[in-house]
Amino acid sequence: MTSQQTEQVWKALDSFRIELPSWGFADTGTRFGKFHQPAAAATIEEKFSDAAEVNRVTGVCPTLALHVLWDFKGERSAAEVTELAARTGIRAGSINPNLFQDQIYKFGSLGNPDPKIRETASQHILESIAIATTVNSRDISLWFADGSNYPGTQNIRHRKAWFEDGLRSAHAALKNDQRLLVEYKPFEPAFYHTDIADWGMALELARAAGPQAKVLVDTGHHYSAQNIEQIVAWLLDSNMLGGFHFNDRRYADDDLTLGSIDPYQVFRIFHEIVLFEFETGKPADIAYMVDQSHNLKPKIEAMIQTVTTAQELFAKAAIVDHEKLAATQMTCALVDAETCLKDAFATDVRPVIEEWRIARGLPPQPMAAFRESGYQQRIEAERGSKGRGGGSSYA
Ligand code: PSV
Ligand code: MN
């Protein structure tokens, strides 16, 4: 690598922060069952502690995304979470309302035909915004399971209008520096129509909600052949990309480790972001979040693997030769243009990342540092392994 490329990688890594999900440290499963893991986090203290360990060895994960129902209700008040955050050195990240688990949401939340249920859903979002304010979180991240399973069973346009109402009232409650992130997903748990099925619908709804609403791209929430980097490029261009939920997939929303199936796609997404920043000269205001809950891989190791993979792919995107790329694009030198991307993707950036870590006082190899620390053995001895709950209800 040239010294200019090394500099580009260091600069990129200095700016790249990744938010971990609290639910990624708890026992979760599939709809067929749960395999319990030794010492999976069951309490919010344990989730903060595990996240702090990932941050200790990687140095780039200072915030933890929280799910309101799983992390606050009946367990901890927002004020207590603030204290916990201060103690562990991990700040509360995005706040995720839960609008899908309660029995009343069987036929939807903001899109439910029953106005009382829509009102309850709205109230929950407002409470979540209040929690975000108390714990000093910027983003309130909304995902809705709303939809229907059979043609003709719901009025799609009425539901759209109810969503607009609900999101507008949520937006009105935001503080000036807060954002609403609107996540889309084409299927699951609804299998005929999902109310916010794709990025176009999320974009329309975010615009209807107000200027502090942006779109959240979960990489697992697309049809198989979809060109996600094009969506990213369009959202960036419209100043409507608020954040990511990272994971990889082979078939559906598989929640696999980022880059495990298609690292080139993640690289291409990062390339669009880095290119946008290069051309506009300003940083893209994006929350990079992980949304994975591993039911087979050891959870903390899987998170460390995710973070280091994300750094590698981001670093590769940072060394694309933008001038050469622009010139080859303008002359339609197709092979040369494509090679520009491929050369960067094929470059081994790991030695430079190790140097960067050492310079930043971090362990050069986060996974090895974690394994040497004895943290996993310690929590297994302390917590035991009996599937103590604390995660989602996927089981
Ligand atoms: C839905 O599949 C989703 O991606 C949403 O972001 C939820 O908050 C999260 O998963 C829960 O695991
Ligand atoms: Mn998600």
Side-chain angles (χ1 to χ4, degrees), residues 67-363:
H67 234 287
V68 174
L69 208 59
W70 304 334
D71 295 328
F72 289 95
K73 204 173 176 185
E75 201 191 334
R76 284 282 180 247
S77 73
E80 282 172 303
V81 168
T82 314
E83 249 177 59
L84 185 58
R87 227 186 311 139
T88 55
I90 294 290
R91 294 193 312 279
S94 62
I95 298 299
N96 294 251
N98 188 310
L99 297 151
F100 48 89
Q101 206 170 311
D102 199 290
Q103 290 300 313
I104 58 164
Y105 297 135
K106 183 171 179 182
F107 299 117
S109 59
L110 285 191
N112 197 303
D114 182 338
K116 289 200 289 300
I117 296 176
R118 294 204 297 276
E119 181 52 30
T120 306
S122 267
Q123 283 306 324
H124 178 67
I125 299 175
L126 297 184
E127 282 160 24
S128 303
I129 296 173
I131 289 176
T133 306
T134 310
V135 300
N136 211 7
S137 282
R138 181 189 189 203
D139 292 330
I140 294 85
S141 190
L142 297 170
W143 173 69
F144 299 91
D146 289 52
S148 69
N149 272 357
Y150 299 98
T153 58
Q154 286 294 300
N155 186 313
I156 291 172
R157 280 183 300 105
H158 291 179
R159 291 176 70 105
K160 173 175 178 275
W162 294 328
F163 262 94
E164 286 166 359
D165 289 347
L167 292 176
R168 259 187 222 116
S169 79
H171 192 283
L174 294 176
K175 298 272 174 286
N176 282 343
D177 56 348
Q178 287 179 324
R179 307 188 301 174
L180 273 190
L181 302 183
V182 183
E183 186 171 355
Y184 56 91
K185 180 172 179 174
F187 53 82
E188 195 202 41
F191 288 111
Y192 165 62
H193 104 281
T194 294
D195 283 296
I196 313 182
D198 66 23
W199 72 281
M201 297 179 202
L203 178 66
E204 281 266 329
L205 286 174
R207 282 192 168 138
Q212 288 160 244
K214 306 281 170 192
V215 177
L216 186 149
V217 176
D218 183 315
T219 44
H221 293 188
H222 301 88
Y223 295 117
S224 283
Q226 207 151 5
N227 183 337
I228 303 176
E229 62 268 26
Q230 183 179 9
I231 295 172
V232 168
W234 275 58
L235 288 174
L236 277 169
D237 197 57
S238 309
N239 187 26
M240 288 302 285
L241 179 61
F244 283 97
H245 273 181
F246 283 132
N247 48 62
D248 211 337
R249 50 79 66 80
R250 179 75 179 82
Y251 299 101
D253 187 19
D254 307 339
D255 263 357
L256 301 179
T257 319
L258 183 78
S260 58
I261 303 293
D262 189 355
Y264 193 43
Q265 178 180 74
V266 184
F267 164 84
R268 296 191 309 264
I269 290 172
F270 286 150
H271 163 62
E272 289 302 333
I273 296 168
V274 175
L275 181 62
F276 169 86
E277 294 185 335
F278 172 79
E279 288 185 345
T280 60
K282 56 177 187 203
D285 189 7
I286 299 171
Y288 297 101
M289 299 173 270
V290 176
D291 184 2
Q292 293 169 181
S293 40
H294 296 94
N295 59 333
L296 301 180
K297 275 182 179 171
K299 289 168 188 299
I300 299 175
E301 289 198 359
M303 281 303 166
I304 295 168
Q305 188 185 33
T306 301
V307 172
T308 54
T309 302
Q311 287 181 304
E312 283 167 26
L313 294 167
F314 198 68
K316 284 170 188 275
I319 57 169
V320 171
D321 185 337
H322 295 128
E323 266 112 27
K324 191 163 157 197
L325 186 68
T328 52
Q329 286 175 347
M330 290 308 286
T331 53
C332 295
L334 308 188
V335 171
D336 295 342
E338 189 189 8
T339 304
C340 226
L341 284 195
K342 291 209 151 176
D343 280 348
F345 184 64
T347 305
D348 186 2
V349 290
R350 288 172 299 183
V352 175
I353 297 180
E354 281 193 16
E355 283 166 21
W356 174 82
R357 288 194 183 116
I358 293 166
R360 299 287 174 266
L362 297 164

